[in-house]
Amino acid sequence: MSKPTPRDRLIVALDVPSVDLARGLVSTLGDHVTFYKIGLELVMNGGLPFVGELADRGKRIFLDLKLLDIPNTITRAVANAAELGATFLTVHGTDLKTLEAAVAGRHGSALKLLAVTVLTSLTDRDLAQQGIAMPVTGLVARRAELARQSGFDGVIASGQEAAAIRAQSGGGFLIVTPGIRLGGSATADQERVMTPSHAIAAGADYLVVGRPITEADDPAAAAEHIVEEIAGALA
């Protein structure tokens, strides 16, 4: 994969309830956006066939399925996802068995595998409720290292952990960051958020942005503003 431009580093999350709404957003955003995320909400309403439609329009697709199952199922699911033409696919980065099974399922395809470290909606308190004594920062670092060791291409992590992951993993290991919010905007159901420029400066390679663009009065202008922030941070 060639070095991405500032525009290519923006991934717009099509977290909408129908393909018709997603198709409308893609048309509205036009050439302002080259990369889209399809997650569970859209997958449950025709989103998988829509991957091919986006690819035919020259768009890249981040298939955010957050896979977690027994190794055999993971291997077969990843193999099927590779056939869809997606660029990125997410797998929960909880253990080496799961991660290695995903790598086995890729079968030498161009699909990039990303391990979900800790969801950006979770805090130390949420982890404690799950019986995990380690703080978010420590667990993210551990899961990022497991992903790197297993042969994954990168991780999903908040901007607040991006600098530590970059220092730990070095260059060439992708950091894809959700939970992006513009300065002064509401965080909604996210906890560990960061602005676009700060996330890029911290070491993120790609930013996943949903509501600040898709719910904006002018989605194209909102996307362009974020691309400009990314370009400024890279400069």
Side-chain angles (χ1 to χ4, degrees):
M1 184 183 296
S2 60
K3 186 175 181 180
T5 66
R7 190 172 310 283
D8 293 336
R9 293 174 186 267
L10 170 62
I11 303 174
V12 172
L14 295 175
D15 293 332
V16 293
S18 73
V19 169
D20 285 343
L21 286 172
R23 189 178 289 120
L25 277 168
V26 172
S27 294
T28 296
L29 291 167
D31 293 335
H32 294 279
V33 175
T34 64
F35 212 152
Y36 287 96
K37 185 196 81 139
I38 293 179
L40 294 176
E41 181 179 6
L42 195 57
V43 163
M44 293 300 177
N45 195 8
L48 287 181
F50 189 53
V51 171
E53 183 177 328
L54 286 175
D56 289 342
R57 296 180 66 165
K59 306 299 184 182
R60 291 192 295 164
I61 303 96
F62 167 19
L63 197 52
D64 188 21
L65 298 184
K66 299 183 179 72
L67 300 176
L68 180 60
D69 212 308
I70 62 172
N72 187 58
T73 299
I74 291 291
T75 297
R76 293 183 179 185
V78 171
N80 287 339
E83 296 294 326
L84 291 174
T87 302
F88 292 165
L89 173 69
T90 50
V91 178
H92 270 293
T94 56
D95 61 277
L96 274 175
K97 283 184 179 179
T98 298
L99 297 169
E100 290 172 350
V103 171
R106 180 165 49 184
H107 295 312
S109 73
L111 180 67
K112 300 292 185 184
L113 294 173
L114 304 173
V116 178
T117 53
V118 176
L119 297 176
T120 52
S121 60
L122 299 181
T123 64
D124 291 348
R125 181 178 179 181
D126 296 315
L127 294 185
Q129 290 173 346
Q130 297 177 32
I132 300 173
M134 186 178 292
V136 166
T137 53
L139 187 58
V140 167
R142 174 175 290 185
R143 289 179 172 173
E145 181 58 20
L146 286 177
R148 190 190 64 79
Q149 291 176 5
S150 69
F152 263 54
D153 301 284
V155 292
I156 305 294
S158 87
Q160 295 181 18
E161 293 97 44
I165 294 171
R166 181 61 67 218
Q168 170 183 287
S169 304
F173 190 69
L174 297 176
I175 301 173
V176 179
T177 297
I180 298 297
R181 292 292 183 267
L182 300 178
S185 64
T187 61
D189 55 354
Q190 302 282 5
E191 293 285 351
R192 302 182 342 269
V193 301
M194 190 170 275
T195 65
S197 58
H198 287 154
I200 290 292
D205 295 292
Y206 293 86
L207 306 183
V208 181
V209 185
R211 285 165 284 192
I213 291 175
T214 60
E215 296 182 0
D217 292 336
D218 186 340
E224 202 61 35
H225 174 75
I226 292 174
V227 170
E228 291 171 0
E229 275 206 41
I230 292 172
L234 290 170

mmCIF file of all heavy atoms in Angstrom, residues 179-203:
data_model
loop_
_atom_site.group_PDB
_atom_site.id
_atom_site.type_symbol
_atom_site.label_atom_id
_atom_site.label_comp_id
_atom_site.label_asym_id
_atom_site.label_seq_id
_atom_site.Cartn_x
_atom_site.Cartn_y
_atom_site.Cartn_z
ATOM 1 N N GLY A 179 -13.306 7.365 17.601
ATOM 2 C CA GLY A 179 -13.504 8.294 18.710
ATOM 3 C C GLY A 179 -12.979 9.682 18.392
ATOM 4 O O GLY A 179 -12.500 10.395 19.276
ATOM 5 N N ILE A 180 -13.075 10.093 17.127
ATOM 6 C CA ILE A 180 -12.598 11.416 16.720
ATOM 7 C C ILE A 180 -13.737 12.427 16.865
ATOM 8 O O ILE A 180 -14.842 12.199 16.386
ATOM 9 C CB ILE A 180 -12.087 11.392 15.264
ATOM 10 C CG1 ILE A 180 -10.895 10.443 15.130
ATOM 11 C CG2 ILE A 180 -11.742 12.799 14.791
ATOM 12 C CD1 ILE A 180 -9.687 10.841 15.945
ATOM 13 N N ARG A 181 -13.437 13.509 17.531
ATOM 14 C CA ARG A 181 -14.421 14.571 17.714
ATOM 15 C C ARG A 181 -13.767 15.922 17.433
ATOM 16 O O ARG A 181 -12.588 16.123 17.758
ATOM 17 C CB ARG A 181 -14.975 14.572 19.153
ATOM 18 C CG ARG A 181 -15.841 13.344 19.464
ATOM 19 C CD ARG A 181 -17.125 13.372 18.681
ATOM 20 N NE ARG A 181 -18.015 12.260 19.003
ATOM 21 C CZ ARG A 181 -18.048 11.099 18.356
ATOM 22 N NH1 ARG A 181 -17.217 10.892 17.342
ATOM 23 N NH2 ARG A 181 -18.895 10.157 18.692
ATOM 24 N N LEU A 182 -14.507 16.830 16.839
ATOM 25 C CA LEU A 182 -14.013 18.180 16.610
ATOM 26 C C LEU A 182 -13.992 18.938 17.926
ATOM 27 O O LEU A 182 -14.737 18.623 18.860
ATOM 28 C CB LEU A 182 -14.896 18.900 15.596
ATOM 29 C CG LEU A 182 -14.982 18.231 14.214
ATOM 30 C CD1 LEU A 182 -15.923 19.011 13.322
ATOM 31 C CD2 LEU A 182 -13.605 18.111 13.580
ATOM 32 N N GLY A 183 -13.122 19.929 18.032
ATOM 33 C CA GLY A 183 -13.013 20.696 19.259
ATOM 34 C C GLY A 183 -14.342 21.304 19.669
ATOM 35 O O GLY A 183 -15.011 21.939 18.872
ATOM 36 N N GLY A 184 -14.742 21.043 20.917
ATOM 37 C CA GLY A 184 -15.981 21.596 21.442
ATOM 38 C C GLY A 184 -17.235 20.825 21.133
ATOM 39 O O GLY A 184 -18.320 21.177 21.593
ATOM 40 N N SER A 185 -17.125 19.716 20.362
ATOM 41 C CA SER A 185 -18.325 18.939 20.022
ATOM 42 C C SER A 185 -18.615 17.899 21.091
ATOM 43 O O SER A 185 -17.755 17.548 21.903
ATOM 44 C CB SER A 185 -18.147 18.248 18.663
ATOM 45 O OG SER A 185 -17.097 17.296 18.719
ATOM 46 N N ALA A 186 -19.841 17.382 21.099
ATOM 47 C CA ALA A 186 -20.255 16.397 22.093
ATOM 48 C C ALA A 186 -19.537 15.071 21.864
ATOM 49 O O ALA A 186 -19.285 14.671 20.724
ATOM 50 C CB ALA A 186 -21.767 16.190 22.012
ATOM 51 N N THR A 187 -19.229 14.372 22.963
ATOM 52 C CA THR A 187 -18.556 13.076 22.854
ATOM 53 C C THR A 187 -19.535 11.932 22.676
ATOM 54 O O THR A 187 -19.136 10.829 22.309
ATOM 55 C CB THR A 187 -17.696 12.806 24.091
ATOM 56 O OG1 THR A 187 -18.534 12.781 25.257
ATOM 57 C CG2 THR A 187 -16.635 13.892 24.263
ATOM 58 N N ALA A 188 -20.841 12.157 22.957
ATOM 59 C CA ALA A 188 -21.888 11.127 22.831
ATOM 60 C C ALA A 188 -21.494 9.892 23.645
ATOM 61 O O ALA A 188 -21.177 10.024 24.820
ATOM 62 C CB ALA A 188 -22.142 10.804 21.367
ATOM 63 N N ASP A 189 -21.491 8.692 23.023
ATOM 64 C CA ASP A 189 -21.222 7.475 23.783
ATOM 65 C C ASP A 189 -19.741 7.103 23.799
ATOM 66 O O ASP A 189 -19.375 6.018 24.224
ATOM 67 C CB ASP A 189 -22.036 6.297 23.228
ATOM 68 C CG ASP A 189 -21.805 6.061 21.743
ATOM 69 O OD1 ASP A 189 -21.106 6.879 21.111
ATOM 70 O OD2 ASP A 189 -22.329 5.073 21.217
ATOM 71 N N GLN A 190 -18.880 7.993 23.354
ATOM 72 C CA GLN A 190 -17.442 7.752 23.378
ATOM 73 C C GLN A 190 -16.852 8.315 24.667
ATOM 74 O O GLN A 190 -17.357 9.289 25.231
ATOM 75 C CB GLN A 190 -16.765 8.414 22.166
ATOM 76 C CG GLN A 190 -17.290 7.945 20.824
ATOM 77 C CD GLN A 190 -16.738 6.588 20.427
ATOM 78 O OE1 GLN A 190 -16.035 5.941 21.190
ATOM 79 N NE2 GLN A 190 -17.062 6.154 19.226
ATOM 80 N N GLU A 191 -15.774 7.686 25.133
ATOM 81 C CA GLU A 191 -15.097 8.142 26.338
ATOM 82 C C GLU A 191 -13.698 8.681 26.036
ATOM 83 O O GLU A 191 -13.343 9.766 26.456
ATOM 84 C CB GLU A 191 -14.997 6.989 27.355
ATOM 85 C CG GLU A 191 -16.331 6.530 27.922
ATOM 86 C CD GLU A 191 -16.898 7.486 28.945
ATOM 87 O OE1 GLU A 191 -16.198 8.427 29.364
ATOM 88 O OE2 GLU A 191 -18.070 7.308 29.341
ATOM 89 N N ARG A 192 -12.908 7.910 25.312
ATOM 90 C CA ARG A 192 -11.513 8.270 25.049
ATOM 91 C C ARG A 192 -11.429 8.903 23.663
ATOM 92 O O ARG A 192 -11.167 8.239 22.673
ATOM 93 C CB ARG A 192 -10.616 7.038 25.179
ATOM 94 C CG ARG A 192 -10.723 6.424 26.551
ATOM 95 C CD ARG A 192 -9.881 5.232 26.883
ATOM 96 N NE ARG A 192 -9.306 4.465 25.822
ATOM 97 C CZ ARG A 192 -9.890 3.411 25.252
ATOM 98 N NH1 ARG A 192 -11.115 3.033 25.624
ATOM 99 N NH2 ARG A 192 -9.274 2.725 24.310
ATOM 100 N N VAL A 193 -11.691 10.211 23.600
ATOM 101 C CA VAL A 193 -11.795 10.908 22.317
ATOM 102 C C VAL A 193 -10.599 11.819 22.101
ATOM 103 O O VAL A 193 -9.842 12.124 23.028
ATOM 104 C CB VAL A 193 -13.100 11.720 22.237
ATOM 105 C CG1 VAL A 193 -14.309 10.822 22.413
ATOM 106 C CG2 VAL A 193 -13.107 12.844 23.265
ATOM 107 N N MET A 194 -10.440 12.282 20.862
ATOM 108 C CA MET A 194 -9.351 13.195 20.519
ATOM 109 C C MET A 194 -9.720 13.913 19.228
ATOM 110 O O MET A 194 -10.459 13.387 18.401
ATOM 111 C CB MET A 194 -8.038 12.421 20.372
ATOM 112 C CG MET A 194 -6.798 13.289 20.251
ATOM 113 S SD MET A 194 -5.259 12.319 20.358
ATOM 114 C CE MET A 194 -5.056 12.231 22.140
ATOM 115 N N THR A 195 -9.182 15.111 19.048
ATOM 116 C CA THR A 195 -9.421 15.849 17.811
ATOM 117 C C THR A 195 -8.586 15.241 16.686
ATOM 118 O O THR A 195 -7.597 14.539 16.933
ATOM 119 C CB THR A 195 -9.039 17.329 17.966
ATOM 120 O OG1 THR A 195 -7.630 17.437 18.180
ATOM 121 C CG2 THR A 195 -9.799 17.975 19.112
ATOM 122 N N PRO A 196 -8.949 15.512 15.420
ATOM 123 C CA PRO A 196 -8.186 14.949 14.298
ATOM 124 C C PRO A 196 -6.707 15.300 14.316
ATOM 125 O O PRO A 196 -5.842 14.431 14.152
ATOM 126 C CB PRO A 196 -8.891 15.537 13.069
ATOM 127 C CG PRO A 196 -10.287 15.817 13.526
ATOM 128 C CD PRO A 196 -10.150 16.240 14.955
ATOM 129 N N SER A 197 -6.393 16.573 14.514
ATOM 130 C CA SER A 197 -4.989 16.982 14.462
ATOM 131 C C SER A 197 -4.180 16.366 15.589
ATOM 132 O O SER A 197 -3.034 15.932 15.393
ATOM 133 C CB SER A 197 -4.883 18.511 14.505
ATOM 134 O OG SER A 197 -5.496 19.033 15.673
ATOM 135 N N HIS A 198 -4.762 16.286 16.785
ATOM 136 C CA HIS A 198 -4.041 15.702 17.913
ATOM 137 C C HIS A 198 -3.829 14.207 17.718
ATOM 138 O O HIS A 198 -2.768 13.672 18.081
ATOM 139 C CB HIS A 198 -4.800 15.965 19.217
ATOM 140 C CG HIS A 198 -4.718 17.377 19.683
ATOM 141 N ND1 HIS A 198 -5.678 17.963 20.472
ATOM 142 C CD2 HIS A 198 -3.784 18.343 19.459
ATOM 143 C CE1 HIS A 198 -5.348 19.215 20.732
ATOM 144 N NE2 HIS A 198 -4.205 19.472 20.125
ATOM 145 N N ALA A 199 -4.803 13.513 17.147
ATOM 146 C CA ALA A 199 -4.662 12.075 16.927
ATOM 147 C C ALA A 199 -3.557 11.781 15.918
ATOM 148 O O ALA A 199 -2.737 10.868 16.108
ATOM 149 C CB ALA A 199 -5.985 11.478 16.458
ATOM 150 N N ILE A 200 -3.513 12.542 14.834
ATOM 151 C CA ILE A 200 -2.462 12.355 13.829
ATOM 152 C C ILE A 200 -1.098 12.689 14.433
ATOM 153 O O ILE A 200 -0.113 11.963 14.232
ATOM 154 C CB ILE A 200 -2.731 13.230 12.591
ATOM 155 C CG1 ILE A 200 -3.954 12.702 11.824
ATOM 156 C CG2 ILE A 200 -1.514 13.271 11.681
ATOM 157 C CD1 ILE A 200 -3.776 11.355 11.152
ATOM 158 N N ALA A 201 -1.022 13.776 15.184
ATOM 159 C CA ALA A 201 0.243 14.160 15.811
ATOM 160 C C ALA A 201 0.722 13.101 16.805
ATOM 161 O O ALA A 201 1.928 12.921 16.994
ATOM 162 C CB ALA A 201 0.089 15.510 16.508
ATOM 163 N N ALA A 202 -0.229 12.382 17.410
ATOM 164 C CA ALA A 202 0.123 11.347 18.384
ATOM 165 C C ALA A 202 0.615 10.062 17.726
ATOM 166 O O ALA A 202 1.161 9.195 18.408
ATOM 167 C CB ALA A 202 -1.074 11.038 19.275
ATOM 168 N N GLY A 203 0.397 9.925 16.401
ATOM 169 C CA GLY A 203 0.896 8.742 15.720
ATOM 170 C C GLY A 203 -0.129 7.949 14.952
ATOM 171 O O GLY A 203 0.208 6.926 14.347
#
